[in-house]
Amino acid sequence: MDRSEKAAFVAALQAVFAETSFVLVSQNKGLTVADATKLRRQMNSAGATYKVAKNRLAALALTGTSFQGISPLLKGPTALAWSKDPVAVAKTAVEFAKGNDKFVILGGALGKQTLNADGVKALAELPSLDALRASLLGMIQTPATRIAGVLQAPGSQLARVFSAYAKKDEAEAEAA
């Protein structure tokens, strides 16, 4: 890479860091090309990006961003992963790390909050953004259906009472 390519790479990473909410730092010491390709495909299917970057250039790109706290993690053969959905990146990385001991999660940053490997694993256990949206929507809709049921209940109870009086009156009229 010449100087202009490096500057363009740093600018591109800074633009990515400005748009994303979560960055994961992993170590890929001894990861085969096939495994790296598999990981990239899994990340892409989860809506995330996985990129191996030179540590010095990545540290330059992190300068001045909210993710500056992960700069100390950039030692050795590292890679970065990011997405707008932080849980998707964490889940994909944790699942891949379970099956491949050469892929190690070093940590990450969720906004200005720096996470260690355990923090990333805890983040991976959370439900995804889509699952949270679905449960929130369900919670919003549930009170509306309950309110409708409560409002309909007095009317149906009155109808039953009137029906019972009508049947009682009919039975008395038939008996007389």
Side-chain angles (χ1 to χ4, degrees):
M1 270 191 193
D2 66 359
R3 222 180 243 282
S4 62
E5 289 175 328
K6 289 178 183 177
F9 182 77
V10 169
L13 270 181
Q14 283 177 334
V16 164
F17 295 150
E19 295 175 3
T20 189
S21 62
F22 178 71
V23 176
L24 174 92
V25 181
S26 61
Q27 193 171 53
N28 54 356
K29 195 179 281 185
L31 203 62
T32 65
V33 174
D35 287 339
T37 303
K38 180 180 174 185
L39 177 59
R40 276 192 180 88
R41 286 188 181 136
Q42 288 177 357
M43 288 283 187
N44 284 338
S45 67
T49 305
Y50 174 81
K51 189 159 193 85
V52 176
K54 289 191 175 271
N55 293 337
R56 190 174 52 81
L57 297 178
L60 283 173
L62 288 168
T63 304
T65 66
S66 59
F67 304 112
Q68 196 168 351
I70 61 173
S71 292
L73 298 175
L74 300 174
K75 291 186 173 90
T78 56
L80 304 172
W82 60 84
S83 173
K84 292 189 181 198
D85 182 6
V87 177
V89 176
K91 279 186 183 203
T92 305
V94 168
E95 285 299 315
F96 188 81
K98 286 179 185 176
N100 195 325
D101 58 344
K102 294 180 182 177
F103 179 78
V104 179
I105 298 169
L106 298 177
L110 183 60
K112 293 187 179 194
Q113 179 70 36
T114 304
L115 304 172
N116 60 9
D118 292 331
V120 173
K121 289 176 184 171
L123 183 63
E125 293 173 3
L126 294 175
S128 70
L129 193 56
D130 290 335
L132 285 173
R133 285 180 181 148
S135 65
L136 182 63
L137 187 61
M139 288 179 1
I140 290 170
Q141 288 177 340
T142 299
T145 56
R146 285 186 183 161
I147 289 171
V150 166
L151 291 176
Q152 289 176 350
S156 63
Q157 288 173 348
L158 282 175
R160 278 187 238 126
V161 168
F162 291 144
S163 175
Y165 277 119
K167 287 180 184 177
K168 180 181 172 190
D169 288 344
E170 286 176 10
E172 287 176 1
E174 288 178 11

